Amino acid sequence: MKRPIIYLTFLLSVIAVLSARDTTFRTGTDNIELRLNGKPVPGGWEVSPDLNPDILETTAREVFFASDIDTLAVTLDEWENFHIDMLTARGDTARVRLTRFPVCPFENPNPELLRLPASGKLTREQAAFDIDALVYTLNQVHPDIFSVSGQEPFFRAVNKAKASLPDSVSPVGLYLRVAPLVSMIGDGHTSLVFPFNTVFTRDTKRFPVSVNILSNGTMNCRMSVDSIIPRDARILSINGVSAAEMIDSMLPLVSGEKRHFRLAMVSYTFPALLQTMYPADSYTVEYLPRGNKKPVRHTFPSMTFDEILSRMPKENTVQNHEIYSFSVDSVKNVAIMDFRSFQDVGRMKHFADSMFSVLREKHIGNLIIDLRENGGGNSAVGDVLLRYLSPVPFVQMEKALVKVTPATARLMGADIPAGGFTFEESDPSEYIIPLTPQEGHYHGNVYLLTSNKTFSSAGSFAWAFKETGAGKTVGEETGGMNVSFGDILYFRLPVSKLSCSVSYKRFWQFHADENNIHGTLPDIPVPAADALDAAMKLVGKNRRK
């Protein structure tokens, strides 16, 4: 007699057989004792020879039967089947199949379900399982996946994504359907990673123009093969599709708290999204060079990576790979720190000590710190620098909400108690104390350059910098918000192996109000490209005083 256990509907479509063991069991009665993990099942088990097989589906590891004649104890692995021939006193045989499912199939997926067809594409059932696994893991780890979208719109989008699945779909095709779900969370740290290596090989022919997408939604040329399109020329259309239409079609695929940050993410992902969404053998680009009133057109053939590399302007391929560096202009009484990434606390301690020693020795009265291309890292690196700049005690993260579930612990690879939510708040007595003048505190004028790409730890640094009155901010609102999710873990979808990042904390920056969420607003708002010139003008005014 079947004793059903309720599972998610997708689970019932496929049953795995890791191994199939057989045994016999004798009984003189039609009703026998049944225990699951040592606990008696009310009513026992009814022996039913008419059912072939009679099925017991359970999450229990230990299954025990006892009749007036025989006893049987079975230990099951997850996804294992075990067959029993129950022999009755009447000479009948009741065929029984035991199947053990995991308590959570997303933690230990069905091995049969993980096997891709020879085509390398996912079946509809496999793709639906990946979507369910994605939603499950996000909800288990993230502090609040519904804070922006709400539950109803989010699950309506989940259902729509499942309904759109064809009979088979590639990992890239699944990405295009699923990335908008992750984007709805409204968290720049939580995103589905584009499968670049699936789309691009060295021999893949691609668009031979590099573009920048600006915070106002326009597309400019960064460089092109043979410098055919001038740098900073505005791209109007590609193969007849307007740049605005292309950008709007890509925005739902990328994550971020605000449009300007998501535009920056489209800029980063644009080559892959163009290759996937607008594939072509050649590309007719309509563009408007600076100072021109009449658009120009040029048709490029698609090219391999090596072909493009050999024909790109050489002077633009040389980049400064130092994560932080500085230069001094003694004539203009200014130092410029190029700050690309918040990495290596020990290295920053040595760097800051050296830089501020030079500024003191040369009596440099102005410091410009450039965070425009800084996407974050370890906020402790910012603490080191802020001790030289802040006039008051500070913390970058004043409050934090931490979510720790069994899924979080598994992704962290740590044996930690899964206690749900923990809320932590800094006491002013715990604030970080700035350096004294004797220890090297800098008392010159400081200007911080920011952009919509200033994100994560760079955003929290910029917020603390402004909130403490350490100097003036110049440029654009940061991409990182004053109240935001962060500290990420990575996981892969079980079948497609698409990678996803997910926040498991929420942070409130120094004196931040969750009822007024925004990035660091610049004291002198100018386009990011003009921020250095604007800061240098302020330095010049200081010299004339």
Short mmCIF file of all heavy atoms in Angstrom, two decimals, residues 290-350:
data_model
loop_
_atom_site.label_atom_id
_atom_site.label_comp_id
_atom_site.label_asym_id
_atom_site.label_seq_id
_atom_site.Cartn_x
_atom_site.Cartn_y
_atom_site.Cartn_z
N ARG A 290 33.41 63.33 -32.19
CA ARG A 290 33.29 64.59 -31.45
C ARG A 290 33.46 65.77 -32.40
O ARG A 290 34.39 65.81 -33.20
CB ARG A 290 34.35 64.65 -30.36
CG ARG A 290 33.97 63.91 -29.08
CD ARG A 290 34.92 64.24 -27.96
NE ARG A 290 34.47 63.72 -26.69
CZ ARG A 290 35.06 63.98 -25.53
NH1 ARG A 290 36.14 64.76 -25.50
NH2 ARG A 290 34.60 63.48 -24.41
N GLY A 291 32.57 66.75 -32.29
CA GLY A 291 32.66 67.94 -33.13
C GLY A 291 31.94 67.81 -34.45
O GLY A 291 31.76 68.81 -35.16
N ASN A 292 31.55 66.58 -34.83
CA ASN A 292 30.84 66.38 -36.09
C ASN A 292 29.33 66.51 -35.90
O ASN A 292 28.80 66.19 -34.83
CB ASN A 292 31.13 64.99 -36.67
CG ASN A 292 32.48 64.92 -37.34
OD1 ASN A 292 33.40 65.64 -36.95
ND2 ASN A 292 32.62 64.03 -38.32
N LYS A 293 28.66 66.94 -36.93
CA LYS A 293 27.21 67.00 -36.91
C LYS A 293 26.59 65.89 -37.75
O LYS A 293 25.41 65.57 -37.60
CB LYS A 293 26.73 68.36 -37.42
CG LYS A 293 27.12 69.53 -36.51
CD LYS A 293 26.55 70.83 -37.02
CE LYS A 293 26.90 72.00 -36.09
NZ LYS A 293 26.35 73.29 -36.57
N LYS A 294 27.41 65.31 -38.63
CA LYS A 294 26.89 64.27 -39.52
C LYS A 294 27.46 62.92 -39.13
O LYS A 294 28.68 62.75 -39.00
CB LYS A 294 27.28 64.60 -40.96
CG LYS A 294 26.69 63.64 -41.98
CD LYS A 294 27.04 64.09 -43.40
CE LYS A 294 26.45 63.14 -44.42
NZ LYS A 294 26.80 63.55 -45.82
N PRO A 295 26.58 61.92 -38.93
CA PRO A 295 27.07 60.58 -38.56
C PRO A 295 27.90 59.95 -39.68
O PRO A 295 27.76 60.28 -40.86
CB PRO A 295 25.78 59.78 -38.32
CG PRO A 295 24.73 60.81 -38.10
CD PRO A 295 25.12 61.99 -38.94
N VAL A 296 28.76 59.02 -39.29
CA VAL A 296 29.63 58.28 -40.20
C VAL A 296 29.32 56.80 -40.03
O VAL A 296 28.97 56.34 -38.93
CB VAL A 296 31.11 58.55 -39.89
CG1 VAL A 296 32.02 57.78 -40.86
CG2 VAL A 296 31.40 60.04 -39.94
N ARG A 297 29.46 56.03 -41.11
CA ARG A 297 29.24 54.58 -41.03
C ARG A 297 30.49 53.84 -41.48
O ARG A 297 31.19 54.26 -42.39
CB ARG A 297 28.07 54.15 -41.92
CG ARG A 297 26.70 54.55 -41.37
CD ARG A 297 25.61 53.92 -42.20
NE ARG A 297 24.30 54.26 -41.69
CZ ARG A 297 23.16 53.76 -42.19
NH1 ARG A 297 23.21 52.94 -43.22
NH2 ARG A 297 22.00 54.12 -41.68
N HIS A 298 30.71 52.70 -40.82
CA HIS A 298 31.79 51.81 -41.26
C HIS A 298 31.37 50.38 -40.94
O HIS A 298 30.80 50.11 -39.88
CB HIS A 298 33.11 52.13 -40.56
CG HIS A 298 34.24 51.29 -41.06
ND1 HIS A 298 34.95 51.62 -42.20
CD2 HIS A 298 34.78 50.13 -40.60
CE1 HIS A 298 35.88 50.70 -42.41
NE2 HIS A 298 35.80 49.79 -41.46
N THR A 299 31.67 49.47 -41.87
CA THR A 299 31.35 48.06 -41.67
C THR A 299 32.63 47.29 -41.34
O THR A 299 33.60 47.32 -42.11
CB THR A 299 30.68 47.46 -42.91
OG1 THR A 299 29.44 48.15 -43.16
CG2 THR A 299 30.38 45.97 -42.70
N PHE A 300 32.63 46.62 -40.21
CA PHE A 300 33.75 45.80 -39.77
C PHE A 300 33.41 44.32 -39.95
O PHE A 300 32.29 43.90 -39.61
CB PHE A 300 34.04 46.00 -38.27
CG PHE A 300 34.47 47.38 -37.89
CD1 PHE A 300 33.52 48.36 -37.59
CD2 PHE A 300 35.81 47.70 -37.81
CE1 PHE A 300 33.92 49.64 -37.21
CE2 PHE A 300 36.22 48.98 -37.42
CZ PHE A 300 35.26 49.95 -37.13
N PRO A 301 34.35 43.50 -40.41
CA PRO A 301 34.13 42.05 -40.32
C PRO A 301 34.34 41.60 -38.88
O PRO A 301 35.06 42.24 -38.11
CB PRO A 301 35.21 41.49 -41.25
CG PRO A 301 36.32 42.50 -41.18
CD PRO A 301 35.65 43.84 -41.02
N SER A 302 33.69 40.53 -38.49
CA SER A 302 34.00 39.95 -37.17
C SER A 302 35.41 39.38 -37.21
O SER A 302 35.89 38.93 -38.26
CB SER A 302 32.98 38.87 -36.81
OG SER A 302 32.98 37.84 -37.78
N MET A 303 36.12 39.42 -36.09
CA MET A 303 37.52 39.03 -36.05
C MET A 303 37.81 38.19 -34.82
O MET A 303 37.11 38.27 -33.81
CB MET A 303 38.43 40.27 -36.02
CG MET A 303 38.29 41.19 -37.19
SD MET A 303 39.42 42.61 -37.06
CE MET A 303 38.88 43.60 -38.45
N THR A 304 38.87 37.40 -34.90
CA THR A 304 39.31 36.62 -33.75
C THR A 304 40.04 37.54 -32.75
O THR A 304 40.42 38.66 -33.09
CB THR A 304 40.26 35.49 -34.16
OG1 THR A 304 41.48 36.06 -34.67
CG2 THR A 304 39.63 34.60 -35.23
N PHE A 305 40.23 37.02 -31.56
CA PHE A 305 40.90 37.79 -30.51
C PHE A 305 42.29 38.23 -30.96
O PHE A 305 42.68 39.39 -30.77
CB PHE A 305 41.00 36.94 -29.24
CG PHE A 305 41.76 37.60 -28.13
CD1 PHE A 305 41.15 38.55 -27.32
CD2 PHE A 305 43.10 37.29 -27.88
CE1 PHE A 305 41.85 39.17 -26.30
CE2 PHE A 305 43.80 37.89 -26.87
CZ PHE A 305 43.18 38.84 -26.07
N ASP A 306 43.07 37.32 -31.57
CA ASP A 306 44.43 37.66 -31.98
C ASP A 306 44.43 38.71 -33.09
O ASP A 306 45.30 39.60 -33.12
CB ASP A 306 45.18 36.40 -32.44
CG ASP A 306 45.52 35.48 -31.28
OD1 ASP A 306 45.65 35.98 -30.15
OD2 ASP A 306 45.64 34.26 -31.50
N GLU A 307 43.48 38.61 -34.00
CA GLU A 307 43.38 39.61 -35.06
C GLU A 307 43.09 40.99 -34.48
O GLU A 307 43.70 41.99 -34.87
CB GLU A 307 42.28 39.23 -36.06
CG GLU A 307 42.62 38.04 -36.94
CD GLU A 307 41.44 37.60 -37.79
OE1 GLU A 307 40.29 37.69 -37.33
OE2 GLU A 307 41.68 37.16 -38.94
N ILE A 308 42.16 41.03 -33.54
CA ILE A 308 41.81 42.31 -32.92
C ILE A 308 42.99 42.88 -32.14
O ILE A 308 43.32 44.07 -32.26
CB ILE A 308 40.58 42.13 -32.00
CG1 ILE A 308 39.35 41.78 -32.83
CG2 ILE A 308 40.33 43.39 -31.17
CD1 ILE A 308 38.15 41.38 -32.00
N LEU A 309 43.65 42.03 -31.37
CA LEU A 309 44.77 42.48 -30.55
C LEU A 309 45.89 43.08 -31.39
O LEU A 309 46.50 44.09 -31.03
CB LEU A 309 45.30 41.32 -29.71
CG LEU A 309 46.32 41.65 -28.63
CD1 LEU A 309 45.69 42.57 -27.58
CD2 LEU A 309 46.85 40.38 -27.98
N SER A 310 46.15 42.47 -32.53
CA SER A 310 47.25 42.94 -33.38
C SER A 310 46.95 44.26 -34.06
O SER A 310 47.86 44.96 -34.49
CB SER A 310 47.58 41.87 -34.44
OG SER A 310 46.52 41.73 -35.36
N ARG A 311 45.65 44.62 -34.14
CA ARG A 311 45.28 45.83 -34.87
C ARG A 311 44.72 46.94 -33.98
O ARG A 311 44.33 47.98 -34.48
CB ARG A 311 44.27 45.46 -35.97
CG ARG A 311 44.88 44.56 -37.04
CD ARG A 311 43.85 44.00 -38.00
NE ARG A 311 43.13 45.03 -38.72
CZ ARG A 311 42.18 44.76 -39.63
NH1 ARG A 311 41.88 43.50 -39.91
NH2 ARG A 311 41.57 45.75 -40.26
N MET A 312 44.68 46.69 -32.67
CA MET A 312 44.24 47.74 -31.76
C MET A 312 45.37 48.74 -31.53
O MET A 312 46.55 48.38 -31.63
CB MET A 312 43.81 47.14 -30.42
CG MET A 312 42.41 46.57 -30.42
SD MET A 312 41.15 47.87 -30.59
CE MET A 312 39.65 46.90 -30.36
N PRO A 313 45.06 49.99 -31.22
CA PRO A 313 46.10 50.98 -30.95
C PRO A 313 47.02 50.53 -29.82
O PRO A 313 46.56 50.20 -28.73
CB PRO A 313 45.30 52.23 -30.54
CG PRO A 313 43.95 52.03 -31.11
CD PRO A 313 43.70 50.56 -31.11
N LYS A 314 48.32 50.49 -30.10
CA LYS A 314 49.27 49.97 -29.12
C LYS A 314 49.34 50.83 -27.86
O LYS A 314 49.49 50.31 -26.76
CB LYS A 314 50.66 49.88 -29.74
CG LYS A 314 50.74 48.98 -30.97
CD LYS A 314 50.30 47.56 -30.65
CE LYS A 314 50.41 46.69 -31.91
NZ LYS A 314 49.84 45.34 -31.69
N GLU A 315 49.22 52.13 -28.03
CA GLU A 315 49.36 53.00 -26.85
C GLU A 315 48.24 52.80 -25.85
O GLU A 315 48.39 53.09 -24.67
CB GLU A 315 49.40 54.48 -27.27
CG GLU A 315 48.11 55.02 -27.88
CD GLU A 315 48.03 54.82 -29.39
OE1 GLU A 315 48.85 54.02 -29.92
OE2 GLU A 315 47.18 55.46 -30.04
N ASN A 316 47.11 52.26 -26.29
CA ASN A 316 45.98 52.05 -25.38
C ASN A 316 46.03 50.70 -24.70
O ASN A 316 45.19 50.39 -23.87
CB ASN A 316 44.66 52.19 -26.14
CG ASN A 316 44.40 53.62 -26.53
OD1 ASN A 316 44.73 54.54 -25.80
ND2 ASN A 316 43.82 53.82 -27.71
N THR A 317 46.98 49.85 -25.09
CA THR A 317 47.06 48.53 -24.48
C THR A 317 47.97 48.52 -23.27
O THR A 317 48.03 47.55 -22.54
CB THR A 317 47.58 47.50 -25.50
OG1 THR A 317 48.91 47.88 -25.90
CG2 THR A 317 46.69 47.43 -26.71
N VAL A 318 48.70 49.62 -23.04
CA VAL A 318 49.58 49.71 -21.89
C VAL A 318 48.80 50.28 -20.71
O VAL A 318 48.27 51.37 -20.77
CB VAL A 318 50.81 50.59 -22.19
CG1 VAL A 318 51.70 50.70 -20.96
CG2 VAL A 318 51.58 50.04 -23.37
N GLN A 319 48.71 49.51 -19.63
CA GLN A 319 47.93 49.94 -18.49
C GLN A 319 48.76 49.84 -17.23
O GLN A 319 49.69 49.05 -17.14
CB GLN A 319 46.67 49.09 -18.34
CG GLN A 319 45.72 49.20 -19.53
CD GLN A 319 44.50 48.31 -19.34
OE1 GLN A 319 44.37 47.62 -18.35
NE2 GLN A 319 43.61 48.35 -20.30
N ASN A 320 48.40 50.64 -16.25
CA ASN A 320 49.03 50.56 -14.95
C ASN A 320 48.35 49.48 -14.14
O ASN A 320 47.16 49.58 -13.82
CB ASN A 320 48.91 51.91 -14.23
CG ASN A 320 49.53 51.88 -12.86
OD1 ASN A 320 50.25 50.95 -12.50
ND2 ASN A 320 49.25 52.91 -12.06
N HIS A 321 49.08 48.40 -13.84
CA HIS A 321 48.49 47.28 -13.15
C HIS A 321 48.70 47.36 -11.64
O HIS A 321 48.32 46.43 -10.92
CB HIS A 321 49.06 45.96 -13.69
CG HIS A 321 48.70 45.71 -15.13
ND1 HIS A 321 47.41 45.39 -15.52
CD2 HIS A 321 49.45 45.74 -16.26
CE1 HIS A 321 47.39 45.22 -16.84
NE2 HIS A 321 48.60 45.44 -17.31
N GLU A 322 49.31 48.43 -11.14
CA GLU A 322 49.46 48.59 -9.71
C GLU A 322 48.10 48.85 -9.07
O GLU A 322 47.31 49.65 -9.58
CB GLU A 322 50.41 49.75 -9.39
CG GLU A 322 51.87 49.49 -9.77
CD GLU A 322 52.49 48.42 -8.90
OE1 GLU A 322 52.11 48.30 -7.71
OE2 GLU A 322 53.36 47.68 -9.40
N ILE A 323 47.83 48.18 -7.95
CA ILE A 323 46.53 48.39 -7.32
C ILE A 323 46.45 49.75 -6.64
O ILE A 323 45.36 50.31 -6.48
CB ILE A 323 46.21 47.25 -6.32
CG1 ILE A 323 47.32 47.08 -5.30
CG2 ILE A 323 45.93 45.97 -7.06
CD1 ILE A 323 47.01 46.02 -4.26
N TYR A 324 47.60 50.29 -6.21
CA TYR A 324 47.66 51.68 -5.80
C TYR A 324 49.06 52.22 -6.03
O TYR A 324 50.06 51.52 -5.84
CB TYR A 324 47.23 51.92 -4.35
CG TYR A 324 47.34 50.76 -3.39
CD1 TYR A 324 48.54 50.45 -2.77
CD2 TYR A 324 46.23 49.97 -3.10
CE1 TYR A 324 48.64 49.39 -1.88
CE2 TYR A 324 46.32 48.91 -2.22
CZ TYR A 324 47.52 48.61 -1.61
OH TYR A 324 47.62 47.55 -0.75
N SER A 325 49.10 53.47 -6.45
CA SER A 325 50.37 54.14 -6.74
C SER A 325 50.14 55.64 -6.57
O SER A 325 49.00 56.10 -6.47
CB SER A 325 50.84 53.83 -8.17
OG SER A 325 49.88 54.25 -9.11
N PHE A 326 51.22 56.41 -6.52
CA PHE A 326 51.05 57.86 -6.41
C PHE A 326 52.18 58.57 -7.15
O PHE A 326 53.26 58.01 -7.39
CB PHE A 326 50.99 58.30 -4.94
CG PHE A 326 52.32 58.35 -4.24
CD1 PHE A 326 53.00 59.56 -4.05
CD2 PHE A 326 52.90 57.19 -3.75
CE1 PHE A 326 54.22 59.61 -3.40
CE2 PHE A 326 54.13 57.23 -3.08
CZ PHE A 326 54.79 58.44 -2.91
N SER A 327 51.89 59.80 -7.53
CA SER A 327 52.88 60.66 -8.17
C SER A 327 52.79 62.03 -7.53
O SER A 327 51.74 62.42 -7.00
CB SER A 327 52.63 60.75 -9.68
OG SER A 327 51.34 61.27 -9.94
N VAL A 328 53.90 62.79 -7.59
CA VAL A 328 53.96 64.09 -6.93
C VAL A 328 54.34 65.15 -7.95
O VAL A 328 55.26 64.96 -8.75
CB VAL A 328 54.99 64.08 -5.78
CG1 VAL A 328 55.16 65.48 -5.21
CG2 VAL A 328 54.55 63.11 -4.69
N ASP A 329 53.60 66.25 -7.94
CA ASP A 329 53.94 67.42 -8.75
C ASP A 329 54.25 68.55 -7.76
O ASP A 329 53.35 69.23 -7.24
CB ASP A 329 52.76 67.80 -9.65
CG ASP A 329 53.11 68.91 -10.63
OD1 ASP A 329 54.02 69.72 -10.31
OD2 ASP A 329 52.46 69.00 -11.68
N SER A 330 55.54 68.73 -7.49
CA SER A 330 55.95 69.72 -6.49
C SER A 330 55.64 71.14 -6.94
O SER A 330 55.36 72.02 -6.10
CB SER A 330 57.45 69.58 -6.20
OG SER A 330 57.73 68.33 -5.63
N VAL A 331 55.68 71.39 -8.24
CA VAL A 331 55.39 72.73 -8.75
C VAL A 331 53.95 73.12 -8.45
O VAL A 331 53.66 74.25 -8.01
CB VAL A 331 55.68 72.81 -10.27
CG1 VAL A 331 55.25 74.17 -10.81
CG2 VAL A 331 57.15 72.54 -10.55
N LYS A 332 53.04 72.19 -8.66
CA LYS A 332 51.62 72.47 -8.42
C LYS A 332 51.20 72.13 -6.99
O LYS A 332 50.03 72.30 -6.63
CB LYS A 332 50.75 71.69 -9.42
CG LYS A 332 50.94 72.16 -10.86
CD LYS A 332 50.03 71.39 -11.81
CE LYS A 332 50.22 71.87 -13.24
NZ LYS A 332 49.36 71.13 -14.20
N ASN A 333 52.16 71.63 -6.22
CA ASN A 333 51.90 71.33 -4.81
C ASN A 333 50.78 70.30 -4.64
O ASN A 333 49.88 70.45 -3.82
CB ASN A 333 51.56 72.62 -4.04
CG ASN A 333 51.54 72.39 -2.53
OD1 ASN A 333 52.25 71.53 -2.01
ND2 ASN A 333 50.72 73.16 -1.83
N VAL A 334 50.84 69.22 -5.43
CA VAL A 334 49.78 68.22 -5.39
C VAL A 334 50.37 66.83 -5.61
O VAL A 334 51.34 66.64 -6.35
CB VAL A 334 48.70 68.51 -6.46
CG1 VAL A 334 49.27 68.42 -7.87
CG2 VAL A 334 47.51 67.56 -6.30
N ALA A 335 49.77 65.86 -4.94
CA ALA A 335 50.06 64.44 -5.18
C ALA A 335 48.77 63.78 -5.64
O ALA A 335 47.67 64.13 -5.19
CB ALA A 335 50.57 63.77 -3.91
N ILE A 336 48.90 62.82 -6.57
CA ILE A 336 47.74 62.09 -7.07
C ILE A 336 47.94 60.61 -6.76
O ILE A 336 48.92 60.01 -7.20
CB ILE A 336 47.54 62.30 -8.58
CG1 ILE A 336 47.32 63.79 -8.87
CG2 ILE A 336 46.36 61.48 -9.08
CD1 ILE A 336 47.23 64.11 -10.36
N MET A 337 47.01 60.04 -6.01
CA MET A 337 47.02 58.62 -5.70
C MET A 337 46.03 57.90 -6.60
O MET A 337 44.84 58.18 -6.59
CB MET A 337 46.66 58.38 -4.23
CG MET A 337 46.61 56.90 -3.86
SD MET A 337 46.06 56.64 -2.15
CE MET A 337 45.90 54.85 -2.12
N ASP A 338 46.53 56.96 -7.39
CA ASP A 338 45.68 56.14 -8.25
C ASP A 338 45.34 54.87 -7.47
O ASP A 338 46.20 54.03 -7.22
CB ASP A 338 46.43 55.79 -9.54
CG ASP A 338 45.55 55.06 -10.54
OD1 ASP A 338 44.32 55.11 -10.39
OD2 ASP A 338 46.10 54.44 -11.47
N PHE A 339 44.09 54.75 -7.08
CA PHE A 339 43.66 53.69 -6.16
C PHE A 339 42.68 52.78 -6.91
O PHE A 339 41.52 53.11 -7.08
CB PHE A 339 43.00 54.36 -4.94
CG PHE A 339 42.84 53.48 -3.73
CD1 PHE A 339 42.33 54.03 -2.55
CD2 PHE A 339 43.15 52.13 -3.74
CE1 PHE A 339 42.16 53.25 -1.42
CE2 PHE A 339 42.99 51.35 -2.62
CZ PHE A 339 42.49 51.91 -1.45
N ARG A 340 43.16 51.59 -7.33
CA ARG A 340 42.37 50.72 -8.21
C ARG A 340 41.60 49.63 -7.47
O ARG A 340 40.58 49.15 -7.96
CB ARG A 340 43.27 50.08 -9.27
CG ARG A 340 43.94 51.06 -10.23
CD ARG A 340 42.89 51.86 -10.99
NE ARG A 340 43.47 52.80 -11.91
CZ ARG A 340 43.59 52.61 -13.23
NH1 ARG A 340 43.17 51.48 -13.75
NH2 ARG A 340 44.12 53.54 -13.99
N SER A 341 42.12 49.17 -6.33
CA SER A 341 41.49 48.04 -5.66
C SER A 341 41.84 48.01 -4.18
O SER A 341 42.97 48.35 -3.81
CB SER A 341 41.93 46.72 -6.32
OG SER A 341 41.32 45.61 -5.69
N PHE A 342 40.88 47.62 -3.36
CA PHE A 342 41.09 47.52 -1.92
C PHE A 342 41.64 46.13 -1.60
O PHE A 342 40.90 45.23 -1.17
CB PHE A 342 39.79 47.79 -1.17
CG PHE A 342 39.46 49.25 -1.05
CD1 PHE A 342 39.09 49.98 -2.17
CD2 PHE A 342 39.51 49.91 0.16
CE1 PHE A 342 38.78 51.33 -2.09
CE2 PHE A 342 39.21 51.26 0.27
CZ PHE A 342 38.85 51.97 -0.86
N GLN A 343 42.93 45.96 -1.80
CA GLN A 343 43.57 44.66 -1.57
C GLN A 343 44.79 44.82 -0.68
O GLN A 343 45.48 45.83 -0.73
CB GLN A 343 44.03 44.04 -2.90
CG GLN A 343 42.92 43.68 -3.86
CD GLN A 343 43.47 43.06 -5.13
OE1 GLN A 343 44.45 42.31 -5.12
NE2 GLN A 343 42.85 43.36 -6.25
N ASP A 344 45.05 43.77 0.14
CA ASP A 344 46.30 43.61 0.87
C ASP A 344 46.51 44.68 1.94
O ASP A 344 47.14 45.71 1.70
CB ASP A 344 47.47 43.59 -0.11
CG ASP A 344 48.73 43.00 0.50
OD1 ASP A 344 48.86 43.02 1.74
OD2 ASP A 344 49.58 42.52 -0.27
N VAL A 345 45.99 44.41 3.13
CA VAL A 345 46.09 45.36 4.23
C VAL A 345 47.54 45.68 4.58
O VAL A 345 47.92 46.85 4.77
CB VAL A 345 45.36 44.81 5.48
CG1 VAL A 345 45.58 45.73 6.69
CG2 VAL A 345 43.86 44.66 5.20
N GLY A 346 48.37 44.64 4.64
CA GLY A 346 49.79 44.86 4.96
C GLY A 346 50.48 45.73 3.95
O GLY A 346 51.28 46.62 4.31
N ARG A 347 50.18 45.52 2.69
CA ARG A 347 50.79 46.32 1.63
C ARG A 347 50.34 47.77 1.73
O ARG A 347 51.14 48.70 1.54
CB ARG A 347 50.42 45.75 0.27
CG ARG A 347 51.05 46.47 -0.91
CD ARG A 347 50.71 45.74 -2.20
NE ARG A 347 51.20 46.45 -3.37
CZ ARG A 347 51.00 46.05 -4.62
NH1 ARG A 347 50.33 44.93 -4.84
NH2 ARG A 347 51.46 46.76 -5.63
N MET A 348 49.05 47.99 2.04
CA MET A 348 48.56 49.36 2.18
C MET A 348 49.24 50.07 3.35
O MET A 348 49.53 51.28 3.28
CB MET A 348 47.04 49.36 2.36
CG MET A 348 46.45 50.74 2.69
SD MET A 348 46.90 52.06 1.52
CE MET A 348 45.78 51.74 0.16
N LYS A 349 49.52 49.37 4.44
CA LYS A 349 50.19 49.99 5.58
C LYS A 349 51.56 50.53 5.16
O LYS A 349 51.92 51.66 5.48
CB LYS A 349 50.35 48.99 6.72
CG LYS A 349 49.04 48.67 7.44
CD LYS A 349 49.27 47.65 8.56
CE LYS A 349 47.96 47.37 9.29
NZ LYS A 349 48.13 46.35 10.37
N HIS A 350 52.30 49.72 4.41
CA HIS A 350 53.63 50.17 3.94
C HIS A 350 53.49 51.29 2.92
O HIS A 350 54.24 52.28 2.95
CB HIS A 350 54.39 48.99 3.32
CG HIS A 350 54.82 47.97 4.32
ND1 HIS A 350 55.73 48.23 5.32
CD2 HIS A 350 54.47 46.67 4.47
CE1 HIS A 350 55.93 47.14 6.05
NE2 HIS A 350 55.16 46.18 5.56
#
